[in-house]
Amino acid sequence: MEKRVTFGSWTIGILFAVPQLLLIFTFFYWPAGQAVYWSLTLQQPWGGGNIWVGLDNFRSILANADYWNSITASLVFAGISTGLAMFVALVLAALTDRQLAGSRLYRVVLIWPYGIAAPALAMAFRFILAPEAGFMAVVNQVWPGFWDPGLDGTDAMASIIIAFSWKYVGYNFIFFLAAFQAIPRSLIEAAAMDGSGVMRRFWDIQFPLITPTIFFLLVINITESFQDSFGIVDIMTAGGPANATNLMVYKIYSDGFKGLDYSGAAAQSIILMLLIVVLTIFQFRFIERRVHYR
C-alpha cells in the first residue's frame, strides 16, 4: 500500500510552497508583467516615465519587413537545428544501445557537449568554421570561395545551425539512450529469434516505444532553439551578414540595448513568447496523437 505524508495543519503546506511561489513570481511573473507594461507604453527620451501608446509598438514592429525576415530566419533555424540534433542523437543512442565496442566510452563522451556554455561553444566553432583557418580553410583551398560565413548569409546560417545542433546532440542523446534501455530486452530478443533484422526491430518495436521521448525532446528542442541561440549568434555572426542570422532573440537584444528602443524590444519579447506558446499548442494538438504511451 502506498504511504503518503500528510500535515496536521494546512499552514505547514503553505509555508513549504511559499519559497517556490516567490521564485516563480520573482523570475517569471514579475519580468513578464514588466515586459507587457513596457510593450504597451513608450519610454520618454529624457526620462519622466512612460507614455501609454496601446498596441502602437506591435503595429510598428509587424509593419517592419526586417522583423518578418527575423521571424523567417528563426523558424528556419528552429526547424533545421531541431531535426539535425534529434536525428544525430537518435542514431548515436541506437548504436550505443547495441553494446558495440567502446559503447561505454561513447556514453560519457557524447554527453559532454551539453555541459559547454553556448559562448564558449560558439567561440570554438567560430575558429573551426572560419574560412581562412581550420577545417573549412582546407575546403576553400580546393574550391575557392566555397565557404565564407562573413559574406554569405546561407553559410552563416549553416554555421550557427551546426554549432547549436552539436550542443543539443548531447542533451538529446541522454534521453534517447535512457528510452532505449527502458525497453524490455525480452521483446528485442523475441523479435530477433523470429528472424527480424536490426532495422525491422527498430521500426516495429523500438521506435514506437520511444515516441513519448521523441515528442518531449521535440517540444524542448524547438523551444530552446528560440531562446538558447543568443550566445551562439552573438559570438559567431552578430546577426549578419545583412541580417541573415538576426534571429528573434538576438533582434530583441540589438534593438533594445544597441538601438535603445526598450518599448519595441519589450513588444518583440511578447511576440516571441506568444509564438513559442502557439508552436507548443500546435505540437500537443496535432503531433501528440501519434505518440504511443503504452
Side-chain angles (χ1 to χ4, degrees), residues 128-145:
I128 293 172
L129 300 178
E132 68 277 2
F135 171 74
M136 295 309 296
V138 178
V139 179
N140 275 343
Q141 288 179 354
V142 179
W143 294 287

mmCIF file with all atom_site columns, all heavy atoms in Angstrom, residues 128-145:
data_model
loop_
_atom_site.group_PDB
_atom_site.id
_atom_site.type_symbol
_atom_site.label_atom_id
_atom_site.label_alt_id
_atom_site.label_comp_id
_atom_site.label_asym_id
_atom_site.label_entity_id
_atom_site.label_seq_id
_atom_site.pdbx_PDB_ins_code
_atom_site.Cartn_x
_atom_site.Cartn_y
_atom_site.Cartn_z
_atom_site.occupancy
_atom_site.B_iso_or_equiv
_atom_site.pdbx_formal_charge
_atom_site.auth_seq_id
_atom_site.auth_comp_id
_atom_site.auth_asym_id
_atom_site.auth_atom_id
_atom_site.pdbx_PDB_model_num
ATOM 1   N N   . ILE A 1 128 ? 36.760 26.873 -35.850 1.00 0.00 ? 128 ILE A N   1
ATOM 2   C CA  . ILE A 1 128 ? 36.698 25.644 -36.661 1.00 0.00 ? 128 ILE A CA  1
ATOM 3   C C   . ILE A 1 128 ? 36.147 25.930 -38.058 1.00 0.00 ? 128 ILE A C   1
ATOM 4   O O   . ILE A 1 128 ? 36.641 25.407 -39.063 1.00 0.00 ? 128 ILE A O   1
ATOM 5   C CB  . ILE A 1 128 ? 35.820 24.590 -35.946 1.00 0.00 ? 128 ILE A CB  1
ATOM 6   C CG1 . ILE A 1 128 ? 36.502 24.134 -34.659 1.00 0.00 ? 128 ILE A CG1 1
ATOM 7   C CG2 . ILE A 1 128 ? 35.555 23.394 -36.860 1.00 0.00 ? 128 ILE A CG2 1
ATOM 8   C CD1 . ILE A 1 128 ? 35.619 23.245 -33.795 1.00 0.00 ? 128 ILE A CD1 1
ATOM 9   N N   . LEU A 1 129 ? 35.109 26.781 -38.121 1.00 0.00 ? 129 LEU A N   1
ATOM 10  C CA  . LEU A 1 129 ? 34.442 27.047 -39.401 1.00 0.00 ? 129 LEU A CA  1
ATOM 11  C C   . LEU A 1 129 ? 34.921 28.329 -40.073 1.00 0.00 ? 129 LEU A C   1
ATOM 12  O O   . LEU A 1 129 ? 34.311 28.774 -41.055 1.00 0.00 ? 129 LEU A O   1
ATOM 13  C CB  . LEU A 1 129 ? 32.923 27.133 -39.168 1.00 0.00 ? 129 LEU A CB  1
ATOM 14  C CG  . LEU A 1 129 ? 32.270 25.876 -38.585 1.00 0.00 ? 129 LEU A CG  1
ATOM 15  C CD1 . LEU A 1 129 ? 30.780 26.097 -38.349 1.00 0.00 ? 129 LEU A CD1 1
ATOM 16  C CD2 . LEU A 1 129 ? 32.464 24.679 -39.516 1.00 0.00 ? 129 LEU A CD2 1
ATOM 17  N N   . ALA A 1 130 ? 35.965 28.921 -39.551 1.00 0.00 ? 130 ALA A N   1
ATOM 18  C CA  . ALA A 1 130 ? 36.499 30.142 -40.188 1.00 0.00 ? 130 ALA A CA  1
ATOM 19  C C   . ALA A 1 130 ? 37.020 29.818 -41.592 1.00 0.00 ? 130 ALA A C   1
ATOM 20  O O   . ALA A 1 130 ? 37.679 28.795 -41.789 1.00 0.00 ? 130 ALA A O   1
ATOM 21  C CB  . ALA A 1 130 ? 37.616 30.734 -39.331 1.00 0.00 ? 130 ALA A CB  1
ATOM 22  N N   . PRO A 1 131 ? 36.720 30.679 -42.590 1.00 0.00 ? 131 PRO A N   1
ATOM 23  C CA  . PRO A 1 131 ? 37.122 30.366 -43.972 1.00 0.00 ? 131 PRO A CA  1
ATOM 24  C C   . PRO A 1 131 ? 38.627 30.440 -44.211 1.00 0.00 ? 131 PRO A C   1
ATOM 25  O O   . PRO A 1 131 ? 39.129 29.830 -45.156 1.00 0.00 ? 131 PRO A O   1
ATOM 26  C CB  . PRO A 1 131 ? 36.385 31.431 -44.798 1.00 0.00 ? 131 PRO A CB  1
ATOM 27  C CG  . PRO A 1 131 ? 36.154 32.552 -43.844 1.00 0.00 ? 131 PRO A CG  1
ATOM 28  C CD  . PRO A 1 131 ? 35.956 31.931 -42.491 1.00 0.00 ? 131 PRO A CD  1
ATOM 29  N N   . GLU A 1 132 ? 39.330 31.201 -43.360 1.00 0.00 ? 132 GLU A N   1
ATOM 30  C CA  . GLU A 1 132 ? 40.769 31.358 -43.572 1.00 0.00 ? 132 GLU A CA  1
ATOM 31  C C   . GLU A 1 132 ? 41.609 30.429 -42.702 1.00 0.00 ? 132 GLU A C   1
ATOM 32  O O   . GLU A 1 132 ? 42.834 30.406 -42.832 1.00 0.00 ? 132 GLU A O   1
ATOM 33  C CB  . GLU A 1 132 ? 41.184 32.818 -43.312 1.00 0.00 ? 132 GLU A CB  1
ATOM 34  C CG  . GLU A 1 132 ? 41.082 33.241 -41.854 1.00 0.00 ? 132 GLU A CG  1
ATOM 35  C CD  . GLU A 1 132 ? 39.675 33.651 -41.462 1.00 0.00 ? 132 GLU A CD  1
ATOM 36  O OE1 . GLU A 1 132 ? 38.758 33.566 -42.319 1.00 0.00 ? 132 GLU A OE1 1
ATOM 37  O OE2 . GLU A 1 132 ? 39.474 34.038 -40.302 1.00 0.00 ? 132 GLU A OE2 1
ATOM 38  N N   . ALA A 1 133 ? 40.978 29.682 -41.791 1.00 0.00 ? 133 ALA A N   1
ATOM 39  C CA  . ALA A 1 133 ? 41.733 28.771 -40.913 1.00 0.00 ? 133 ALA A CA  1
ATOM 40  C C   . ALA A 1 133 ? 40.807 27.614 -40.542 1.00 0.00 ? 133 ALA A C   1
ATOM 41  O O   . ALA A 1 133 ? 39.611 27.659 -40.763 1.00 0.00 ? 133 ALA A O   1
ATOM 42  C CB  . ALA A 1 133 ? 42.204 29.496 -39.656 1.00 0.00 ? 133 ALA A CB  1
ATOM 43  N N   . GLY A 1 134 ? 41.381 26.570 -39.973 1.00 0.00 ? 134 GLY A N   1
ATOM 44  C CA  . GLY A 1 134 ? 40.568 25.445 -39.531 1.00 0.00 ? 134 GLY A CA  1
ATOM 45  C C   . GLY A 1 134 ? 40.163 24.518 -40.663 1.00 0.00 ? 134 GLY A C   1
ATOM 46  O O   . GLY A 1 134 ? 40.746 24.515 -41.757 1.00 0.00 ? 134 GLY A O   1
ATOM 47  N N   . PHE A 1 135 ? 39.115 23.735 -40.403 1.00 0.00 ? 135 PHE A N   1
ATOM 48  C CA  . PHE A 1 135 ? 38.710 22.688 -41.341 1.00 0.00 ? 135 PHE A CA  1
ATOM 49  C C   . PHE A 1 135 ? 38.227 23.259 -42.679 1.00 0.00 ? 135 PHE A C   1
ATOM 50  O O   . PHE A 1 135 ? 38.594 22.765 -43.756 1.00 0.00 ? 135 PHE A O   1
ATOM 51  C CB  . PHE A 1 135 ? 37.601 21.854 -40.707 1.00 0.00 ? 135 PHE A CB  1
ATOM 52  C CG  . PHE A 1 135 ? 36.965 20.885 -41.646 1.00 0.00 ? 135 PHE A CG  1
ATOM 53  C CD1 . PHE A 1 135 ? 37.634 19.728 -42.031 1.00 0.00 ? 135 PHE A CD1 1
ATOM 54  C CD2 . PHE A 1 135 ? 35.698 21.127 -42.172 1.00 0.00 ? 135 PHE A CD2 1
ATOM 55  C CE1 . PHE A 1 135 ? 37.042 18.832 -42.921 1.00 0.00 ? 135 PHE A CE1 1
ATOM 56  C CE2 . PHE A 1 135 ? 35.110 20.237 -43.052 1.00 0.00 ? 135 PHE A CE2 1
ATOM 57  C CZ  . PHE A 1 135 ? 35.779 19.083 -43.423 1.00 0.00 ? 135 PHE A CZ  1
ATOM 58  N N   . MET A 1 136 ? 37.410 24.302 -42.633 1.00 0.00 ? 136 MET A N   1
ATOM 59  C CA  . MET A 1 136 ? 36.839 24.827 -43.873 1.00 0.00 ? 136 MET A CA  1
ATOM 60  C C   . MET A 1 136 ? 37.869 25.538 -44.742 1.00 0.00 ? 136 MET A C   1
ATOM 61  O O   . MET A 1 136 ? 37.632 25.749 -45.930 1.00 0.00 ? 136 MET A O   1
ATOM 62  C CB  . MET A 1 136 ? 35.687 25.778 -43.549 1.00 0.00 ? 136 MET A CB  1
ATOM 63  C CG  . MET A 1 136 ? 34.504 25.109 -42.892 1.00 0.00 ? 136 MET A CG  1
ATOM 64  S SD  . MET A 1 136 ? 33.916 23.627 -43.773 1.00 0.00 ? 136 MET A SD  1
ATOM 65  C CE  . MET A 1 136 ? 33.370 24.333 -45.308 1.00 0.00 ? 136 MET A CE  1
ATOM 66  N N   . ALA A 1 137 ? 39.013 25.926 -44.165 1.00 0.00 ? 137 ALA A N   1
ATOM 67  C CA  . ALA A 1 137 ? 40.075 26.524 -44.989 1.00 0.00 ? 137 ALA A CA  1
ATOM 68  C C   . ALA A 1 137 ? 40.605 25.505 -45.991 1.00 0.00 ? 137 ALA A C   1
ATOM 69  O O   . ALA A 1 137 ? 40.959 25.861 -47.122 1.00 0.00 ? 137 ALA A O   1
ATOM 70  C CB  . ALA A 1 137 ? 41.204 27.021 -44.093 1.00 0.00 ? 137 ALA A CB  1
ATOM 71  N N   . VAL A 1 138 ? 40.650 24.234 -45.585 1.00 0.00 ? 138 VAL A N   1
ATOM 72  C CA  . VAL A 1 138 ? 41.089 23.175 -46.499 1.00 0.00 ? 138 VAL A CA  1
ATOM 73  C C   . VAL A 1 138 ? 40.111 23.048 -47.668 1.00 0.00 ? 138 VAL A C   1
ATOM 74  O O   . VAL A 1 138 ? 40.509 22.900 -48.836 1.00 0.00 ? 138 VAL A O   1
ATOM 75  C CB  . VAL A 1 138 ? 41.211 21.841 -45.734 1.00 0.00 ? 138 VAL A CB  1
ATOM 76  C CG1 . VAL A 1 138 ? 41.628 20.718 -46.683 1.00 0.00 ? 138 VAL A CG1 1
ATOM 77  C CG2 . VAL A 1 138 ? 42.188 21.964 -44.577 1.00 0.00 ? 138 VAL A CG2 1
ATOM 78  N N   . VAL A 1 139 ? 38.821 23.115 -47.346 1.00 0.00 ? 139 VAL A N   1
ATOM 79  C CA  . VAL A 1 139 ? 37.796 23.030 -48.401 1.00 0.00 ? 139 VAL A CA  1
ATOM 80  C C   . VAL A 1 139 ? 37.914 24.225 -49.344 1.00 0.00 ? 139 VAL A C   1
ATOM 81  O O   . VAL A 1 139 ? 37.790 24.086 -50.573 1.00 0.00 ? 139 VAL A O   1
ATOM 82  C CB  . VAL A 1 139 ? 36.388 22.961 -47.773 1.00 0.00 ? 139 VAL A CB  1
ATOM 83  C CG1 . VAL A 1 139 ? 35.322 22.893 -48.865 1.00 0.00 ? 139 VAL A CG1 1
ATOM 84  C CG2 . VAL A 1 139 ? 36.280 21.755 -46.847 1.00 0.00 ? 139 VAL A CG2 1
ATOM 85  N N   . ASN A 1 140 ? 38.144 25.406 -48.782 1.00 0.00 ? 140 ASN A N   1
ATOM 86  C CA  . ASN A 1 140 ? 38.267 26.604 -49.623 1.00 0.00 ? 140 ASN A CA  1
ATOM 87  C C   . ASN A 1 140 ? 39.491 26.561 -50.521 1.00 0.00 ? 140 ASN A C   1
ATOM 88  O O   . ASN A 1 140 ? 39.518 27.211 -51.578 1.00 0.00 ? 140 ASN A O   1
ATOM 89  C CB  . ASN A 1 140 ? 38.310 27.853 -48.746 1.00 0.00 ? 140 ASN A CB  1
ATOM 90  C CG  . ASN A 1 140 ? 36.919 28.329 -48.389 1.00 0.00 ? 140 ASN A CG  1
ATOM 91  O OD1 . ASN A 1 140 ? 35.934 27.953 -49.010 1.00 0.00 ? 140 ASN A OD1 1
ATOM 92  N ND2 . ASN A 1 140 ? 36.825 29.152 -47.360 1.00 0.00 ? 140 ASN A ND2 1
ATOM 93  N N   . GLN A 1 141 ? 40.531 25.832 -50.101 1.00 0.00 ? 141 GLN A N   1
ATOM 94  C CA  . GLN A 1 141 ? 41.702 25.704 -50.966 1.00 0.00 ? 141 GLN A CA  1
ATOM 95  C C   . GLN A 1 141 ? 41.387 24.863 -52.191 1.00 0.00 ? 141 GLN A C   1
ATOM 96  O O   . GLN A 1 141 ? 41.929 25.087 -53.271 1.00 0.00 ? 141 GLN A O   1
ATOM 97  C CB  . GLN A 1 141 ? 42.859 25.088 -50.173 1.00 0.00 ? 141 GLN A CB  1
ATOM 98  C CG  . GLN A 1 141 ? 43.472 26.030 -49.136 1.00 0.00 ? 141 GLN A CG  1
ATOM 99  C CD  . GLN A 1 141 ? 44.604 25.392 -48.353 1.00 0.00 ? 141 GLN A CD  1
ATOM 100 O OE1 . GLN A 1 141 ? 44.863 24.194 -48.499 1.00 0.00 ? 141 GLN A OE1 1
ATOM 101 N NE2 . GLN A 1 141 ? 45.267 26.173 -47.518 1.00 0.00 ? 141 GLN A NE2 1
ATOM 102 N N   . VAL A 1 142 ? 40.496 23.875 -52.023 1.00 0.00 ? 142 VAL A N   1
ATOM 103 C CA  . VAL A 1 142 ? 40.102 23.022 -53.154 1.00 0.00 ? 142 VAL A CA  1
ATOM 104 C C   . VAL A 1 142 ? 39.094 23.757 -54.031 1.00 0.00 ? 142 VAL A C   1
ATOM 105 O O   . VAL A 1 142 ? 39.202 23.759 -55.267 1.00 0.00 ? 142 VAL A O   1
ATOM 106 C CB  . VAL A 1 142 ? 39.514 21.692 -52.634 1.00 0.00 ? 142 VAL A CB  1
ATOM 107 C CG1 . VAL A 1 142 ? 39.088 20.815 -53.816 1.00 0.00 ? 142 VAL A CG1 1
ATOM 108 C CG2 . VAL A 1 142 ? 40.528 20.969 -51.752 1.00 0.00 ? 142 VAL A CG2 1
ATOM 109 N N   . TRP A 1 143 ? 38.076 24.365 -53.371 1.00 0.00 ? 143 TRP A N   1
ATOM 110 C CA  . TRP A 1 143 ? 37.058 25.147 -54.103 1.00 0.00 ? 143 TRP A CA  1
ATOM 111 C C   . TRP A 1 143 ? 37.083 26.574 -53.567 1.00 0.00 ? 143 TRP A C   1
ATOM 112 O O   . TRP A 1 143 ? 36.372 26.884 -52.586 1.00 0.00 ? 143 TRP A O   1
ATOM 113 C CB  . TRP A 1 143 ? 35.670 24.533 -53.909 1.00 0.00 ? 143 TRP A CB  1
ATOM 114 C CG  . TRP A 1 143 ? 35.511 23.183 -54.504 1.00 0.00 ? 143 TRP A CG  1
ATOM 115 C CD1 . TRP A 1 143 ? 35.412 22.866 -55.811 1.00 0.00 ? 143 TRP A CD1 1
ATOM 116 C CD2 . TRP A 1 143 ? 35.437 21.938 -53.785 1.00 0.00 ? 143 TRP A CD2 1
ATOM 117 N NE1 . TRP A 1 143 ? 35.277 21.509 -55.973 1.00 0.00 ? 143 TRP A NE1 1
ATOM 118 C CE2 . TRP A 1 143 ? 35.281 20.917 -54.742 1.00 0.00 ? 143 TRP A CE2 1
ATOM 119 C CE3 . TRP A 1 143 ? 35.474 21.588 -52.435 1.00 0.00 ? 143 TRP A CE3 1
ATOM 120 C CZ2 . TRP A 1 143 ? 35.184 19.576 -54.387 1.00 0.00 ? 143 TRP A CZ2 1
ATOM 121 C CZ3 . TRP A 1 143 ? 35.370 20.262 -52.074 1.00 0.00 ? 143 TRP A CZ3 1
ATOM 122 C CH2 . TRP A 1 143 ? 35.230 19.277 -53.046 1.00 0.00 ? 143 TRP A CH2 1
ATOM 123 N N   . PRO A 1 144 ? 37.868 27.451 -54.146 1.00 0.00 ? 144 PRO A N   1
ATOM 124 C CA  . PRO A 1 144 ? 37.969 28.835 -53.645 1.00 0.00 ? 144 PRO A CA  1
ATOM 125 C C   . PRO A 1 144 ? 36.605 29.523 -53.596 1.00 0.00 ? 144 PRO A C   1
ATOM 126 O O   . PRO A 1 144 ? 35.820 29.455 -54.539 1.00 0.00 ? 144 PRO A O   1
ATOM 127 C CB  . PRO A 1 144 ? 38.899 29.506 -54.666 1.00 0.00 ? 144 PRO A CB  1
ATOM 128 C CG  . PRO A 1 144 ? 39.695 28.375 -55.253 1.00 0.00 ? 144 PRO A CG  1
ATOM 129 C CD  . PRO A 1 144 ? 38.759 27.203 -55.287 1.00 0.00 ? 144 PRO A CD  1
ATOM 130 N N   . GLY A 1 145 ? 36.320 30.172 -52.445 1.00 0.00 ? 145 GLY A N   1
ATOM 131 C CA  . GLY A 1 145 ? 35.060 30.882 -52.284 1.00 0.00 ? 145 GLY A CA  1
ATOM 132 C C   . GLY A 1 145 ? 33.881 30.018 -51.917 1.00 0.00 ? 145 GLY A C   1
ATOM 133 O O   . GLY A 1 145 ? 32.745 30.508 -51.882 1.00 0.00 ? 145 GLY A O   1
#
